[in-house]
Coordinates of all heavy atoms in Angstrom, one line a residue:
M1 N -8.6 12.2 12.7 CA -8.9 13.3 11.8 C -9.7 12.8 10.6 O -10.6 13.5 10.2 CB -7.6 13.9 11.3 CG -7.9 15.0 10.3 SD -6.7 16.1 9.6 CE -5.1 15.6 9.9
A2 N -9.4 11.6 10.0 CA -10.1 11.1 8.9 C -11.6 10.9 9.2 O -12.5 11.2 8.4 CB -9.5 9.8 8.4
Q3 N -11.9 10.5 10.4 CA -13.3 10.3 10.7 C -14.1 11.6 10.8 O -15.3 11.6 10.5 CB -13.4 9.5 12.1 CG -13.0 8.1 11.9 CD -13.1 7.3 13.3 OE1 -13.0 7.9 14.3 NE2 -13.2 6.0 13.2
K4 N -13.4 12.7 11.2 CA -14.1 14.0 11.3 C -14.3 14.5 9.9 O -15.2 15.3 9.6 CB -13.2 14.9 12.1 CG -13.2 14.6 13.6 CD -12.3 15.7 14.3 CE -12.3 15.3 15.8 NZ -11.4 16.3 16.5
Q5 N -13.4 14.2 8.9 CA -13.4 14.8 7.6 C -14.2 14.0 6.6 O -14.7 14.5 5.6 CB -12.0 15.1 7.1 CG -11.3 16.1 7.9 CD -9.9 16.3 7.3 OE1 -9.4 15.6 6.5 NE2 -9.2 17.3 7.9
M6 N -14.3 12.7 6.8 CA -14.9 11.8 5.8 C -15.9 10.9 6.4 O -15.9 10.6 7.6 CB -13.8 10.9 5.2 CG -12.7 11.7 4.5 SD -11.4 10.7 3.6 CE -10.8 9.6 4.9
R7 N -16.9 10.5 5.6 CA -17.9 9.6 6.1 C -17.5 8.1 5.9 O -17.9 7.3 6.7 CB -19.2 9.9 5.3 CG -19.8 11.2 5.6 CD -21.0 11.5 4.9 NE -21.4 12.9 5.1 CZ -22.6 13.3 5.0 NH1 -23.6 12.5 4.6 NH2 -22.8 14.6 5.3
G8 N -16.8 7.8 4.8 CA -16.6 6.4 4.6 C -15.1 6.0 4.4 O -14.8 4.9 4.2
G9 N -14.2 7.0 4.4 CA -12.8 6.6 4.1 C -12.4 6.8 2.7 O -13.2 7.2 1.8
G10 N -11.2 6.3 2.4 CA -10.7 6.5 1.0 C -10.2 5.1 0.5 O -10.4 4.1 1.1
T11 N -9.6 5.2 -0.7 CA -9.2 4.0 -1.3 C -7.7 3.8 -1.3 O -7.1 2.9 -1.9 CB -9.6 4.0 -2.8 OG1 -9.0 5.1 -3.5 CG2 -11.1 4.0 -3.0
L12 N -7.0 4.6 -0.5 CA -5.5 4.5 -0.4 C -5.2 4.1 1.0 O -5.7 4.7 2.0 CB -4.9 5.9 -0.7 CG -3.4 6.0 -0.5 CD1 -2.7 5.1 -1.5 CD2 -2.9 7.4 -0.6
V13 N -4.4 3.1 1.2 CA -4.0 2.6 2.5 C -2.5 2.4 2.4 O -1.9 2.0 1.4 CB -4.7 1.3 3.0 CG1 -6.1 1.6 3.3 CG2 -4.5 0.2 1.9
A14 N -1.8 2.7 3.5 CA -0.4 2.4 3.7 C -0.2 1.5 4.9 O -0.9 1.6 5.9 CB 0.4 3.7 3.9
F15 N 0.6 0.5 4.7 CA 0.8 -0.4 5.8 C 2.2 -1.0 5.7 O 2.9 -1.0 4.7 CB -0.2 -1.6 5.8 CG -0.3 -2.3 4.5 CD1 0.4 -3.5 4.3 CD2 -1.2 -1.8 3.5 CE1 0.3 -4.1 3.1 CE2 -1.3 -2.5 2.3 CZ -0.6 -3.7 2.1
E16 N 2.7 -1.5 6.9 CA 4.0 -2.0 7.0 C 4.0 -3.5 6.8 O 3.2 -4.2 7.4 CB 4.5 -1.7 8.5 CG 5.9 -2.1 8.8 CD 6.9 -1.1 8.3 OE1 6.5 0.1 8.1 OE2 8.0 -1.5 8.1
V17 N 4.9 -4.0 6.0 CA 5.1 -5.4 5.7 C 6.3 -5.9 6.5 O 7.4 -5.3 6.4 CB 5.2 -5.7 4.2 CG1 5.5 -7.2 4.0 CG2 4.0 -5.3 3.5
E18 N 6.2 -7.0 7.2 CA 7.4 -7.5 7.9 C 8.5 -7.9 6.9 O 8.2 -8.3 5.8 CB 7.0 -8.8 8.7 CG 6.1 -8.5 9.8 CD 5.6 -9.8 10.5 OE1 6.1 -10.9 10.2 OE2 4.8 -9.7 11.4
G19 N 9.7 -7.7 7.4 CA 10.9 -8.1 6.5 C 11.5 -7.0 5.8 O 12.3 -7.2 4.9
G20 N 11.1 -5.7 6.1 CA 11.8 -4.6 5.4 C 11.5 -4.6 3.9 O 10.5 -5.0 3.4
K21 N 12.5 -4.1 3.2 CA 12.4 -4.0 1.7 C 12.2 -5.3 1.0 O 11.3 -5.5 0.2 CB 13.7 -3.4 1.2 CG 13.7 -3.2 -0.3 CD 15.1 -2.6 -0.8 CE 15.2 -2.7 -2.3 NZ 16.6 -2.1 -2.7
A22 N 12.9 -6.4 1.5 CA 12.7 -7.7 0.9 C 11.3 -8.2 1.1 O 10.7 -8.8 0.2 CB 13.8 -8.7 1.4
G23 N 10.8 -8.0 2.3 CA 9.5 -8.5 2.6 C 8.4 -7.7 1.8 O 7.5 -8.3 1.3
A24 N 8.6 -6.4 1.7 CA 7.7 -5.6 0.9 C 7.7 -6.0 -0.6 O 6.6 -6.1 -1.2 CB 8.1 -4.1 1.0
F25 N 8.9 -6.3 -1.1 CA 9.0 -6.7 -2.5 C 8.3 -8.1 -2.7 O 7.6 -8.3 -3.7 CB 10.4 -6.7 -3.0 CG 11.0 -5.4 -3.4 CD1 10.4 -4.2 -2.9 CD2 12.1 -5.3 -4.2 CE1 10.9 -2.9 -3.3 CE2 12.6 -4.0 -4.6 CZ 12.0 -2.9 -4.1
R26 N 8.5 -9.0 -1.8 CA 7.9 -10.3 -1.9 C 6.4 -10.2 -1.9 O 5.7 -10.8 -2.6 CB 8.3 -11.2 -0.8 CG 9.7 -11.9 -1.0 CD 9.9 -13.0 0.0 NE 9.9 -12.6 1.4 CZ 11.0 -12.1 2.0 NH1 12.1 -12.0 1.4 NH2 10.9 -11.8 3.3
F27 N 5.9 -9.3 -1.0 CA 4.4 -9.1 -0.9 C 3.9 -8.5 -2.2 O 2.9 -9.0 -2.7 CB 4.1 -8.1 0.3 CG 2.7 -7.7 0.4 CD1 1.8 -8.6 1.0 CD2 2.3 -6.5 -0.1 CE1 0.5 -8.2 1.1 CE2 0.9 -6.1 -0.1 CZ 0.0 -7.0 0.5
Q28 N 4.6 -7.5 -2.7 CA 4.1 -6.9 -4.0 C 4.1 -7.9 -5.1 O 3.2 -8.0 -5.9 CB 5.0 -5.7 -4.4 CG 4.8 -4.5 -3.5 CD 5.6 -3.3 -3.9 OE1 5.1 -2.2 -4.0 NE2 6.9 -3.5 -4.2
D29 N 5.2 -8.7 -5.2 CA 5.3 -9.7 -6.3 C 4.3 -10.8 -6.2 O 4.0 -11.4 -7.2 CB 6.7 -10.3 -6.2 CG 7.8 -9.3 -6.7 OD1 7.5 -8.3 -7.3 OD2 9.0 -9.6 -6.4
A30 N 3.7 -11.0 -5.0 CA 2.8 -12.1 -4.8 C 1.3 -11.6 -5.2 O 0.5 -12.5 -5.3 CB 2.8 -12.6 -3.4
L31 N 1.1 -10.4 -5.4 CA -0.2 -9.9 -5.7 C -0.7 -10.3 -7.1 O 0.1 -10.3 -8.0 CB -0.3 -8.3 -5.6 CG 0.0 -7.8 -4.2 CD1 0.1 -6.3 -4.3 CD2 -1.0 -8.2 -3.2
K32 N -2.0 -10.6 -7.2 CA -2.5 -11.1 -8.5 C -3.4 -10.0 -9.1 O -3.5 -9.9 -10.3 CB -3.4 -12.3 -8.3 CG -2.6 -13.5 -7.6 CD -1.7 -14.1 -8.6 CE -1.1 -15.4 -8.0 NZ 0.3 -15.5 -8.2
L33 N -4.1 -9.2 -8.3 CA -5.0 -8.2 -8.9 C -4.5 -6.8 -8.9 O -5.1 -5.9 -9.5 CB -6.3 -8.2 -8.0 CG -7.2 -9.5 -8.0 CD1 -8.3 -9.3 -7.0 CD2 -7.7 -9.8 -9.3
V34 N -3.3 -6.6 -8.4 CA -2.8 -5.2 -8.2 C -1.5 -5.1 -8.9 O -0.6 -6.0 -8.8 CB -2.6 -4.9 -6.7 CG1 -2.1 -3.5 -6.6 CG2 -4.0 -5.0 -6.0
L35 N -1.3 -4.0 -9.7 CA -0.1 -3.8 -10.4 C 0.9 -3.0 -9.6 O 0.5 -2.1 -8.8 CB -0.4 -3.0 -11.7 CG -1.4 -3.6 -12.7 CD1 -1.7 -2.6 -13.8 CD2 -0.8 -4.9 -13.3
I36 N 2.2 -3.3 -9.8 CA 3.2 -2.5 -9.1 C 3.5 -1.3 -9.9 O 3.6 -1.3 -11.2 CB 4.5 -3.4 -9.0 CG1 4.2 -4.6 -8.1 CG2 5.7 -2.5 -8.4 CD1 5.4 -5.6 -8.1
S37 N 3.6 -0.1 -9.3 CA 3.8 1.1 -10.0 C 4.7 2.0 -9.2 O 5.0 1.8 -8.0 CB 2.5 1.8 -10.2 OG 2.7 3.0 -10.9
N38 N 5.3 3.1 -9.8 CA 6.1 4.0 -9.0 C 5.2 5.3 -8.6 O 5.7 6.1 -7.9 CB 7.3 4.5 -9.8 CG 6.9 5.2 -11.1 OD1 5.8 5.2 -11.5 ND2 7.9 5.7 -11.8
N39 N 4.0 5.3 -9.0 CA 3.1 6.4 -8.5 C 1.7 5.8 -8.5 O 1.4 4.7 -8.9 CB 3.1 7.6 -9.4 CG 2.6 7.3 -10.8 OD1 1.5 6.9 -11.0 ND2 3.4 7.6 -11.8
L40 N 0.8 6.5 -7.9 CA -0.6 6.0 -7.6 C -1.6 6.8 -8.4 O -2.8 6.8 -8.0 CB -0.9 6.0 -6.1 CG 0.1 5.2 -5.3 CD1 -0.2 5.3 -3.8 CD2 0.1 3.7 -5.7
G41 N -1.3 7.4 -9.5 CA -2.3 8.3 -10.2 C -3.0 7.5 -11.3 O -2.7 7.8 -12.5
D42 N -3.9 6.6 -11.0 CA -4.6 5.9 -12.0 C -5.9 5.3 -11.4 O -6.1 5.3 -10.2 CB -3.7 4.7 -12.5 CG -4.1 4.2 -13.9 OD1 -5.2 4.1 -14.2 OD2 -3.1 4.0 -14.7
A43 N -6.8 4.9 -12.3 CA -8.1 4.3 -11.9 C -7.9 2.8 -11.6 O -8.8 2.2 -11.1 CB -9.1 4.5 -12.9
K44 N -6.7 2.3 -12.0 CA -6.4 0.9 -11.7 C -5.9 0.7 -10.3 O -5.3 1.7 -9.8 CB -5.4 0.3 -12.7 CG -5.9 0.3 -14.2 CD -4.8 -0.2 -15.1 CE -3.8 0.9 -15.4 NZ -2.9 0.7 -16.4
S45 N -6.0 -0.5 -9.8 CA -5.4 -0.7 -8.5 C -3.9 -0.9 -8.6 O -3.4 -1.6 -9.5 CB -5.9 -2.0 -7.9 OG -7.3 -1.9 -7.7
L46 N -3.2 -0.1 -7.8 CA -1.7 0.0 -7.9 C -1.1 -0.1 -6.5 O -1.7 0.3 -5.5 CB -1.3 1.3 -8.5 CG -1.8 1.6 -9.9 CD1 -1.5 3.0 -10.3 CD2 -1.2 0.6 -10.9
I47 N 0.1 -0.6 -6.4 CA 0.8 -0.6 -5.2 C 2.2 -0.1 -5.4 O 2.8 -0.3 -6.5 CB 0.9 -2.0 -4.5 CG1 1.4 -2.0 -3.1 CG2 1.8 -3.0 -5.4 CD1 1.1 -3.2 -2.3
T48 N 2.8 0.7 -4.4 CA 4.1 1.2 -4.6 C 4.9 1.1 -3.3 O 4.3 1.0 -2.2 CB 4.0 2.7 -5.0 OG1 5.3 3.2 -5.3 CG2 3.4 3.6 -3.9
H49 N 6.2 1.1 -3.5 CA 7.1 1.0 -2.3 C 7.8 2.3 -2.2 O 8.8 2.6 -3.0 CB 8.1 -0.1 -2.6 CG 9.1 -0.3 -1.5 ND1 10.4 0.0 -1.6 CD2 8.9 -0.8 -0.2 CE1 11.0 -0.3 -0.5 NE2 10.2 -0.8 0.4
P50 N 7.3 3.2 -1.4 CA 7.8 4.6 -1.4 C 9.3 4.8 -1.1 O 9.9 5.7 -1.7 CB 7.0 5.3 -0.2 CG 5.8 4.4 -0.1 CD 6.2 3.0 -0.4
A51 N 9.9 3.9 -0.3 CA 11.4 4.0 -0.1 C 12.2 3.9 -1.3 O 13.3 4.4 -1.3 CB 11.8 3.0 1.0
T52 N 11.7 3.2 -2.3 CA 12.5 3.0 -3.5 C 11.9 3.7 -4.7 O 12.4 3.5 -5.9 CB 12.7 1.5 -3.9 OG1 11.4 0.9 -4.0 CG2 13.5 0.8 -2.8
T53 N 10.8 4.4 -4.5 CA 10.2 5.1 -5.7 C 10.1 6.6 -5.3 O 11.0 7.4 -5.5 CB 8.8 4.5 -6.0 OG1 8.0 4.6 -4.9 CG2 9.0 3.1 -6.6
T54 N 8.9 7.0 -4.8 CA 8.6 8.4 -4.5 C 9.5 9.1 -3.6 O 9.7 10.3 -3.7 CB 7.2 8.6 -4.1 OG1 7.0 7.8 -2.9 CG2 6.2 8.1 -5.1
H55 N 10.1 8.4 -2.6 CA 11.0 9.0 -1.6 C 12.4 8.5 -1.6 O 13.1 8.7 -0.6 CB 10.3 8.8 -0.2 CG 9.1 9.5 0.0 ND1 7.9 9.1 -0.6 CD2 8.8 10.7 0.6 CE1 6.9 10.0 -0.3 NE2 7.4 10.9 0.5
Q56 N 12.9 7.9 -2.7 CA 14.2 7.3 -2.7 C 15.3 8.4 -2.6 O 16.4 8.1 -2.1 CB 14.4 6.5 -4.0 CG 14.5 7.3 -5.3 CD 14.8 6.5 -6.5 OE1 15.1 5.3 -6.4 NE2 14.6 7.0 -7.6
R57 N 15.1 9.6 -3.1 CA 16.2 10.6 -3.1 C 16.4 11.3 -1.8 O 17.4 12.0 -1.7 CB 15.9 11.6 -4.2 CG 15.9 11.0 -5.6 CD 15.7 12.0 -6.7 NE 15.8 11.3 -8.0 CZ 15.7 12.0 -9.1 NH1 15.5 13.3 -9.1 NH2 15.7 11.3 -10.2
I58 N 15.5 11.2 -0.9 CA 15.7 12.0 0.4 C 16.6 11.2 1.4 O 16.9 11.9 2.4 CB 14.4 12.4 1.0 CG1 13.5 11.2 1.4 CG2 13.6 13.2 0.0 CD1 12.3 11.6 2.2
G59 N 16.9 10.0 1.2 CA 17.8 9.3 2.1 C 17.1 8.7 3.3 O 16.0 9.1 3.7
P60 N 17.7 7.6 3.9 CA 17.1 6.9 5.0 C 16.7 7.7 6.2 O 15.6 7.4 6.8 CB 18.1 5.8 5.3 CG 19.0 5.8 4.2 CD 19.0 7.1 3.5
A61 N 17.5 8.6 6.6 CA 17.2 9.4 7.8 C 15.9 10.3 7.6 O 15.1 10.3 8.5 CB 18.4 10.3 8.2
A62 N 15.9 10.9 6.5 CA 14.7 11.8 6.2 C 13.4 10.9 6.1 O 12.4 11.3 6.5 CB 14.9 12.6 5.0
R63 N 13.6 9.7 5.4 CA 12.4 8.8 5.3 C 11.9 8.4 6.7 O 10.7 8.4 6.9 CB 12.8 7.6 4.4 CG 12.8 8.0 2.9 CD 12.8 6.7 2.1 NE 13.8 5.8 2.4 CZ 15.0 5.8 1.8 NH1 15.3 6.7 0.9 NH2 15.9 4.9 2.1
A64 N 12.9 8.0 7.5 CA 12.5 7.6 8.9 C 11.8 8.7 9.6 O 10.8 8.4 10.3 CB 13.7 7.2 9.6
E65 N 12.2 9.9 9.5 CA 11.6 11.0 10.1 C 10.1 11.2 9.6 O 9.2 11.6 10.4 CB 12.4 12.3 9.9 CG 12.0 13.5 10.7 CD 12.9 14.6 10.5 OE1 14.1 14.4 10.6 OE2 12.4 15.8 10.3
L66 N 9.9 10.9 8.4 CA 8.5 11.0 7.8 C 7.7 9.7 8.0 O 6.5 9.6 7.6 CB 8.7 11.2 6.3 CG 9.3 12.5 5.9 CD1 9.5 12.6 4.4 CD2 8.4 13.7 6.3
G67 N 8.3 8.7 8.6 CA 7.5 7.4 8.9 C 7.5 6.5 7.7 O 6.7 5.6 7.6
I68 N 8.5 6.7 6.8 CA 8.5 5.8 5.6 C 9.7 4.8 5.8 O 10.8 5.1 5.5 CB 8.7 6.7 4.3 CG1 7.6 7.7 4.2 CG2 8.9 5.8 3.1 CD1 7.7 8.7 3.1
S69 N 9.3 3.7 6.2 CA 10.3 2.6 6.5 C 10.5 1.8 5.2 O 9.8 1.9 4.2 CB 9.8 1.7 7.6 OG 8.7 1.0 7.1
D70 N 11.5 0.9 5.3 CA 11.7 0.0 4.1 C 10.6 -1.0 3.9 O 10.5 -1.6 2.9 CB 13.1 -0.7 4.3 CG 14.2 0.2 4.1 OD1 14.1 1.2 3.4 OD2 15.4 -0.2 4.5
G71 N 9.8 -1.3 4.9 CA 8.7 -2.2 4.8 C 7.4 -1.6 4.5 O 6.4 -2.3 4.3
L72 N 7.3 -0.3 4.3 CA 6.1 0.4 4.0 C 5.7 0.3 2.6 O 6.5 0.4 1.7 CB 6.2 1.9 4.4 CG 4.9 2.7 4.2 CD1 3.9 2.5 5.3 CD2 5.2 4.2 4.1
V73 N 4.4 -0.1 2.3 CA 3.9 -0.1 1.0 C 2.6 0.8 1.0 O 1.9 0.9 2.0 CB 3.6 -1.5 0.5 CG1 4.8 -2.3 0.2 CG2 2.6 -2.2 1.4
R74 N 2.3 1.3 -0.2 CA 1.0 2.1 -0.3 C 0.2 1.4 -1.4 O 0.7 1.2 -2.5 CB 1.3 3.5 -0.7 CG 1.9 4.3 0.4 CD 2.1 5.8 0.0 NE 2.6 6.5 1.2 CZ 3.4 7.6 1.1 NH1 3.8 8.0 -0.1 NH2 3.8 8.2 2.2
L75 N -1.0 1.1 -1.0 CA -2.0 0.4 -1.9 C -3.1 1.4 -2.3 O -3.8 1.9 -1.4 CB -2.5 -0.8 -1.2 CG -3.7 -1.5 -1.9 CD1 -3.2 -2.1 -3.3 CD2 -4.2 -2.6 -1.0
S76 N -3.3 1.6 -3.6 CA -4.4 2.4 -4.1 C -5.4 1.5 -4.8 O -5.0 0.8 -5.8 CB -3.9 3.5 -5.1 OG -5.0 4.2 -5.6
C77 N -6.5 1.3 -4.2 CA -7.5 0.4 -4.8 C -8.4 1.1 -5.8 O -9.0 2.1 -5.5 CB -8.4 -0.2 -3.7 SG -7.4 -1.2 -2.5
G78 N -8.3 0.6 -7.0 CA -9.0 1.3 -8.1 C -10.3 0.7 -8.4 O -10.9 -0.1 -7.7
L79 N -10.8 1.1 -9.6 CA -12.2 0.7 -10.0 C -12.2 -0.8 -10.5 O -13.3 -1.4 -10.7 CB -12.6 1.5 -11.2 CG -12.7 3.0 -10.9 CD1 -13.0 3.8 -12.1 CD2 -13.7 3.3 -9.8
D80 N -11.0 -1.4 -10.6 CA -11.0 -2.8 -11.1 C -11.1 -3.9 -10.0 O -11.2 -5.0 -10.3 CB -9.7 -3.0 -11.8 CG -8.4 -2.6 -11.0 OD1 -8.6 -1.9 -10.0 OD2 -7.3 -3.0 -11.4
I81 N -11.1 -3.4 -8.7 CA -11.3 -4.4 -7.6 C -12.7 -4.8 -7.5 O -13.6 -3.9 -7.3 CB -10.7 -3.8 -6.3 CG1 -9.2 -3.5 -6.4 CG2 -11.0 -4.7 -5.1 CD1 -8.4 -4.8 -6.5
P82 N -13.0 -6.0 -7.5 CA -14.4 -6.5 -7.4 C -15.1 -6.0 -6.1 O -14.4 -6.1 -5.0 CB -14.4 -8.0 -7.4 CG -13.0 -8.3 -8.0 CD -12.1 -7.2 -7.6
T83 N -16.3 -5.6 -6.1 CA -17.0 -5.1 -5.0 C -17.1 -6.2 -3.9 O -17.0 -5.9 -2.7 CB -18.5 -4.6 -5.4 OG1 -18.3 -3.7 -6.4 CG2 -19.2 -4.1 -4.2
M84 N -17.2 -7.4 -4.3 CA -17.4 -8.5 -3.3 C -16.1 -8.6 -2.4 O -16.2 -8.9 -1.3 CB -17.6 -9.8 -4.1 CG -18.2 -10.9 -3.3 SD -19.8 -10.3 -2.7 CE -19.9 -11.3 -1.2
W85 N -15.0 -8.3 -3.0 CA -13.7 -8.3 -2.2 C -13.8 -7.4 -1.0 O -13.5 -7.7 0.1 CB -12.5 -8.0 -3.1 CG -11.2 -8.2 -2.4 CD1 -10.5 -9.4 -2.3 CD2 -10.5 -7.2 -1.6 NE1 -9.4 -9.2 -1.6 CE2 -9.3 -7.9 -1.2 CE3 -10.6 -5.9 -1.4 CZ2 -8.3 -7.2 -0.4 CZ3 -9.7 -5.2 -0.6 CH2 -8.6 -5.9 -0.2
W86 N -14.3 -6.2 -1.3 CA -14.4 -5.2 -0.2 C -15.4 -5.6 0.8 O -15.3 -5.2 2.0 CB -14.8 -3.8 -0.8 CG -13.7 -3.2 -1.5 CD1 -13.6 -3.0 -2.9 CD2 -12.4 -2.7 -1.0 NE1 -12.4 -2.5 -3.2 CE2 -11.7 -2.3 -2.0 CE3 -11.9 -2.6 0.3 CZ2 -10.4 -1.7 -1.8 CZ3 -10.7 -2.1 0.5 CH2 -9.9 -1.7 -0.6
K87 N -16.5 -6.3 0.4 CA -17.5 -6.7 1.4 C -17.0 -7.9 2.3 O -17.5 -8.0 3.4 CB -18.7 -7.2 0.7 CG -19.5 -6.0 0.0 CD -20.7 -6.5 -0.7 CE -21.4 -5.4 -1.4 NZ -22.6 -5.8 -2.2
T88 N -16.0 -8.6 1.8 CA -15.5 -9.8 2.6 C -14.2 -9.5 3.3 O -13.8 -10.3 4.2 CB -15.4 -11.0 1.7 OG1 -14.5 -10.7 0.7 CG2 -16.7 -11.4 1.2
C89 N -13.5 -8.5 2.9 CA -12.2 -8.2 3.5 C -12.2 -6.8 4.1 O -12.6 -5.9 3.5 CB -11.1 -8.2 2.4 SG -10.1 -9.7 2.4
S90 N -11.7 -6.7 5.2 CA -11.4 -5.4 5.9 C -10.0 -5.3 6.3 O -9.3 -6.4 6.4 CB -12.3 -5.2 7.1 OG -11.9 -6.0 8.1
P91 N -9.4 -4.1 6.5 CA -8.0 -4.1 6.9 C -7.7 -4.9 8.1 O -6.6 -5.4 8.3 CB -7.8 -2.6 7.1 CG -8.8 -1.9 6.2 CD -10.0 -2.8 6.2
R92 N -8.7 -5.0 9.0 CA -8.5 -5.8 10.3 C -8.4 -7.3 10.0 O -7.9 -8.0 10.8 CB -9.6 -5.5 11.3 CG -9.4 -4.1 11.9 CD -10.5 -3.8 12.9 NE -10.9 -2.5 12.6 CZ -12.2 -2.2 12.3 NH1 -13.1 -3.0 12.3 NH2 -12.5 -0.9 12.0
S93 N -9.0 -7.7 8.9 CA -9.0 -9.2 8.6 C -7.8 -9.6 7.8 O -7.6 -10.8 7.6 CB -10.3 -9.6 8.0 OG -10.3 -9.0 6.7
I94 N -7.0 -8.7 7.3 CA -5.9 -9.1 6.4 C -4.6 -9.2 7.2 O -4.3 -8.4 8.0 CB -5.6 -8.0 5.3 CG1 -6.9 -7.8 4.4 CG2 -4.4 -8.3 4.5 CD1 -6.8 -6.6 3.5
R95 N -4.0 -10.4 7.1 CA -2.8 -10.7 7.8 C -1.7 -11.2 6.8 O -2.1 -12.0 6.0 CB -3.0 -11.7 8.9 CG -3.9 -11.4 10.0 CD -3.4 -10.3 10.9 NE -4.3 -10.0 11.9 CZ -5.0 -8.9 11.9 NH1 -5.0 -8.0 10.9 NH2 -5.9 -8.6 12.9
F96 N -0.5 -10.7 6.9 CA 0.5 -11.2 6.0 C 1.8 -11.2 6.7 O 2.2 -10.3 7.4 CB 0.6 -10.2 4.8 CG 1.7 -10.6 3.8 CD1 1.5 -11.6 2.9 CD2 3.0 -10.1 3.9 CE1 2.5 -12.0 2.0 CE2 4.0 -10.4 3.0 CZ 3.7 -11.4 2.1
S97 N 2.5 -12.3 6.5 CA 3.9 -12.4 7.0 C 4.8 -12.7 5.8 O 4.6 -13.6 5.1 CB 4.0 -13.5 8.0 OG 5.3 -13.6 8.4
A98 N 5.8 -11.9 5.7 CA 6.7 -12.0 4.5 C 7.8 -13.1 4.8 O 8.6 -13.3 3.9 CB 7.4 -10.6 4.3
S99 N 7.8 -13.7 5.9 CA 8.9 -14.7 6.2 C 8.6 -16.0 5.5 O 7.6 -16.3 5.0 CB 9.0 -14.9 7.7 OG 7.8 -15.1 8.3

């Protein structure tokens, strides 16, 4: 659907980090250029853990039904990310193991 609606994609990506909540938190804590936030409404690069922020009140079963696991993180890349990073990194080239 995204390819039909957009020419180049967007700046928001969601991905699963191995290790559940603990793995997601270790990943977020290791970031140097991105701030941890409870929402993604800013021009700065932010990352959030939906299971403990935006969707914490709906419970594990409802989150699972929506595809929001304990290892899911959402990354919003803002205006502060150097252009060179985007030219050298693609989602397919990024690998992370939280173990």
Side-chain angles (χ1 to χ4, degrees):
M1 177 171 16
Q3 289 177 337
K4 289 181 182 180
Q5 294 179 352
M6 301 184 301
R7 292 178 188 205
T11 60
L12 178 66
V13 291
F15 53 94
E16 185 81 22
V17 177
E18 292 177 4
K21 178 182 170 183
F25 279 22
R26 278 193 302 273
F27 176 79
Q28 290 182 133
D29 289 343
L31 296 174
K32 303 285 188 227
L33 296 175
V34 180
L35 302 172
I36 299 171
S37 179
N38 62 351
N39 66 56
L40 300 176
D42 205 313
K44 295 179 279 192
S45 296
L46 302 170
I47 194 164
T48 189
H49 182 252
T52 58
T53 57
T54 57
H55 293 76
Q56 70 175 347
R57 293 184 180 182
I58 65 171
R63 283 195 304 270
E65 193 173 310
L66 295 171
I68 299 170
S69 70
D70 285 344
L72 184 76
V73 293
R74 289 186 177 148
L75 171 65
S76 175
C77 298
L79 302 174
D80 53 344
I81 296 293
T83 304
M84 200 60 206
W85 188 85
W86 287 111
K87 290 180 180 176
T88 59
C89 257
S90 72
R92 284 180 227 124
S93 68
I94 299 171
R95 298 287 181 260
F96 179 82
S97 176
S99 53

